[in-house]
Amino acid sequence: MTRLPEFRAAKWDEPVVMEMGRPGGRGQHFPAPEPEVTEAVGAALIPAAMARQDRPELPEITEFEAQRHYLHLSQMTLGMMGVSLFGTCTMKYNSKTAEFATLRPELAEVHPYQHPDTLQGVLEIMHDFDGILRSLSGMDQFIFQAGGGADAAYTMACVARAYWQDRGMLGQRTEMVTSMQAHPCNPATAAAAGFKVVNLPLEENGYPSLEALKAAVSEKTALIMINNPDDMGIYNPEIKEWVKAAKEVGALCFYDHANFNGVMGKLSARELGFDACMFMLHKTFGAPKAGGGPAVGAFGCTDDLAAYLPTPVVVKSGGRYLLDEDRPKSAGKVREFWGNVPQVVKAYAWARAMGAEGIQLGSDISVVANNYMDKRLGEIPGLARSNPQVGQHRMEMTRWSLGPLAEETGVGTVDFANRMADYGIDPWWMSHEPWIVAEPFTPEAGELWSKEDIDLWIDVVAKICEEARSDPDMVKSAPHNQPIAQVKGDAFEDPAKWAMTWRAWKRKRAGSDAARGAA
Amino acid sequence: MKIGLVVNPVAGLGGAVGLKGTDGPDTVAEALRRGAVARSGARARRAMARLADRVPGTAVVTAPGALGADWLAGLDLSVEVRETGGASGTARDTREAVAAMADCDLVVFAGGDGTARDVAGRLPERAALLGIPCGVKMHSGVFAVSPDAAGALLADIVAAPDRVAWDPEAEVMDIDEPVLRAGRLAPRLYGHARTPLARGRIQASKGGPRKDWGAELRGAADEVARGMEPGTLYVIGPGTSAGAVARALGLTPTVLGTDAIRDGALVAQDARASDLERLAGDGPVRIVLGVTGQQGFLLGRGNQQIAPALIRRAGREGLIVLATEDKLAALAQPRLWVDTGDPDLDRELCGFLRVRTGRGREMVMRVATS
């Protein structure tokens, strides 16, 4: 067994930055301009109407204090550099080379309102990356406007709406068919676009049956939206028949490639018959995913649907790159401008660094790594694989259940996740809603992690299983080695107890003080 | 949370020897004559041992001897034995034991549907019910999936209540055994009881809002109510899911029975099959149904008032089914079952059916016959 890390996070019990410092504290003191400078440029450089009347409310601290404070904050996180086998998120290292490329002035200092003639370099990258995604999917046109996977799913719903409206059939094509195990953004975005959601449950094979799909689709179906493999890690081998059944009733077919890692370079959405697909650049393509953004859902479709794409579309004409806004059938915009361009550049850098063969190999490694994990996790008492009757190998991730251990010890998947952080391991991913497996968790090793890292992760899981039996209360009260113990989730349901900004927090605190004063 | 335990020591005797149930002393005698061995006590002990392992010293109120105390001997629990009228070997024992548990918040029983019905009949007001599965017939929605699961659930109730969800209205159903032995399975809905459910399939609240399943059901029911066609008879089956449609119209459903609505008005309450047939006349009929918890029965469990002739009139297209996604996800199998008493009709109903799970949301479920 790997030696488990003796980890203890730093705990800096210091106030938030807005409460630090003293009047007059400054990062830097700048000298007043010399008289000849003032004379030359004038004193009122800022037009009176634009100059602020009050002082900005900023902490008055030195540069050194600011550096120290943020160093301390970073020490209280796991830093996104630990072993994080966070399933469905396809955690990858975000190369510093790609990061530096986006800091170059050719990208960092341009603005989408510039004339396209002055943006040829960045437009060329977007156009070339469109080409790379075309070759991975068989689609005819990609856009990068969507700010994430769910936004790209919404793009599909909008494109489908525009497509049926253009045919005068939106009144008839009112339904979107999906699987219970498709990512929840599919039903959610279809509903947001006004479609009725028709769900299919998983049957014995671990995916919805083809029969159920055939019963669900009809002349009312506007589109189907599907992941494959889904989060159980099971690839639906009948996917071609699915697309065929949907096409027979005239429905559009959307392939949500959220779980692309295990099949990248191995299949083409177009060859399977799909009309459109979506890639998450912040997952599969090595761009950072930060805390919920900035992200990019790259949406691609066939020429038949391209007329309905949100604008602008980057096109090449006569050796020049253009932003095509003149698309009268366009569904409109799902977001401003062209998307999170630095993320596109990073994804482009990843794809160029990997190459076609590297992408294929990465996919192989991610599936092998997951099957290695499956084997070892299966040897730990208290864990159960979802759909145990399914014999086929799982793809790049597997949905597991902590149900047997929870029944035996009372330690559930949320408790377990909290305890993992005590070993300096990022808590595991549980499951999207709805939970159809008891006490779920979903590891995904991907191609990044070494065997040593994967073994460490599994050994921590085995260790916590032992702890759940020997000292369940200790596990349930975890984390113990982190700067902050358990967060009371209830607070998030009461807006009076949280704030997103200092100003909102002050306002809410003043409100509750006033309420106390009155009481 | 005060827990009471009652064991029906003869529950399940009839099953292994082909008697389809164990209701009544004659059947018990016959089962014993056929060599049946009582298992319910041992199963109750398995459940309570899991509780004692997880939360040692938990206080449990129980009845004397084989009705409870015998099975708890030596377990690390704080047991209080309440005297009852003595063991007669009949259902009276269960009823008297429960009557002595008036201060309990949760009554756990080891038995089957018959025991569930006996316990539910005497359950203290506001108390909940949980079954350790031991019976031959278990159509009620109050049973844990195994004795170990029942014990784990009890431990969670005591030590980790946020891991437990509560079904406010689980079905208590029982079958008339002589009829069953004659070849007809005709369970009736006797009532509803509050029952704990393992929260394993539901995210424990650590941030993020919980889904309000009641609101989903109301949304689905409202959509059905708005889509009602004039002149059509809408038969409202038993249970809260079907009843939600009546409520959406501002009407009060007979939750344990079947009602009928036409043109927005109640035209029958707690109706019998003959009433419904007469009301239907030659006009169009649609039938609003729920799904039984865990078992997934659509027709033939607790709703026999809805007779094959009426179902045939409505046809599969005329069935309007409501169930929330969490209820469908918790089914033992991804199936809805029909057992109308007419095998040809059952076969006609097999296939796929759209269940309304919320406003603008449906689930396509496979309908099967056992």
Side-chain angles (χ1 to χ4, degrees), chain B residues 273-306:
Chain B
S274 56
D275 300 333
L276 295 171
E277 202 177 325
R278 182 176 46 75
L279 272 167
D282 295 326
V285 177
R286 303 200 74 183
I287 302 172
V288 180
L289 297 168
V291 173
T292 64
Q294 300 180 44
Q295 316 266 343
F297 267 94
L298 194 60
L299 285 162
R301 296 289 181 276
N303 53 14
Q304 283 81 357
Q305 308 91 318
I306 302 170

Side-chain angles (χ1 to χ4, degrees), chain A residues 77-295:
Chain A
T77 73
L78 287 173
M80 295 304 281
M81 294 295 284
V83 182
S84 179
L85 311 189
F86 204 75
T88 84
C89 274
T90 317
M91 307 299 282
K92 298 195 182 191
Y93 175 64
N94 311 130
S95 140
K96 293 292 169 256
T97 314
E99 184 74 38
F100 280 113
T102 63
L103 298 178
R104 289 184 60 85
E106 293 89 336
L107 184 66
E109 293 175 11
V110 298
H111 192 280
Y113 280 149
Q114 282 177 225
H115 193 279
D117 284 354
T118 67
L119 296 168
Q120 289 295 300
V122 60
L123 289 175
E124 181 178 357
I125 288 178
M126 296 188 75
H127 185 265
D128 285 2
F129 189 54
D130 171 21
I132 290 171
L133 296 187
R134 290 182 197 194
S135 69
L136 284 168
S137 65
M139 294 300 159
D140 297 321
Q141 179 68 57
F142 274 82
I143 58 162
F144 306 100
Q145 194 171 82
D151 207 6
Y154 183 61
T155 305
M156 179 66 219
C158 293
V159 165
R161 193 170 56 188
Y163 173 90
W164 289 114
Q165 193 146 35
D166 190 32
R167 281 157 183 70
M169 292 171 74
L170 192 56
Q172 175 200 324
R173 298 281 178 170
T174 55
E175 297 181 351
M176 188 284 292
V177 177
T178 188
S179 155
M180 181 95 163
Q181 261 304 82
H183 285 180
C185 66
N186 289 302
T189 56
F195 293 107
K196 179 182 198 172
V197 173
V198 180
N199 245 317
L200 305 174
L202 307 192
E203 293 193 60
E204 281 74 3
N205 291 333
Y207 45 87
S209 69
L210 182 59
E211 271 181 284
L213 176 82
K214 285 180 174 170
V217 296
S218 71
E219 72 291 340
K220 290 182 183 171
T221 313
L223 74 162
I224 71 168
M225 301 173 89
I226 214 77
N227 298 84
N228 192 31
D230 66 15
D231 292 356
M232 312 309 239
I234 299 169
Y235 185 82
N236 177 351
E238 298 171 340
I239 195 68
K240 265 189 175 167
E241 287 75 24
W242 273 54
V243 174
K244 189 160 164 274
K247 286 288 176 69
E248 275 169 9
V249 299
L252 298 175
C253 297
F254 171 66
Y255 196 161
D256 175 346
H257 264 316
N259 300 344
F260 188 56
N261 221 47
V263 296
M264 55 184 181
K266 304 289 199 297
L267 56 76
S268 150
R270 183 68 169 274
E271 281 173 22
L272 292 170
F274 285 94
D275 301 291
C277 69
M278 173 273 282
F279 294 114
M280 294 199 219
L281 305 190
H282 48 288
K283 290 174 45 169
T284 323
F285 290 83
K289 58 173 58 65

Side-chain angles (χ1 to χ4, degrees), chain A residues 175 180 187 195-204 209 211-212 215-216 406-415 430-431 433-440 476 486-487 489-490 492-493, chain B residues 50 53-54 145-146 148-149 151-153 156 159-160 163 199-210 213 223 325 328-329 333-335 352 354 356-357 360-366:
Chain A
E175 297 181 351
M180 181 95 163
F195 293 107
K196 179 182 198 172
V197 173
V198 180
N199 245 317
L200 305 174
L202 307 192
E203 293 193 60
E204 281 74 3
S209 69
E211 271 181 284
E407 210 174 85
E408 183 188 337
T409 65
V411 170
T413 185
V414 175
D415 306 319
M430 291 173 249
S431 167
E433 299 279 350
W435 286 11
I436 57 178
V437 168
E439 302 292 347
K476 286 162 78 170
Q486 280 181 21
V487 177
D490 302 355
F492 298 119
E493 295 183 34
Chain B
R50 165 69 40 101
D53 283 350
R54 287 260 315 269
V145 298
S146 67
D148 295 307
L153 197 48
D156 283 343
R163 290 171 43 81
R199 195 175 261 293
R201 284 200 173 89
I202 309 163
Q203 176 134 27
S205 179
K206 300 281 178 191
R210 279 194 192 144
W213 296 110
E223 216 169 54
E325 282 177 19
L328 294 175
Q333 289 173 281
R335 297 272 185 284
F352 289 90
R354 288 178 168 219
R356 292 163 181 265
T357 55
R361 283 181 86 91
E362 296 179 340
M363 183 84 79
V364 176
M365 295 294 292
R366 190 187 286 269

Side-chain angles (χ1 to χ4, degrees), chain B residues 178-192:
Chain B
V179 175
L180 178 62
R181 287 192 198 98
R184 270 290 289 129
L185 184 58
R188 277 183 53 195
L189 180 61
Y190 281 93
H192 292 96

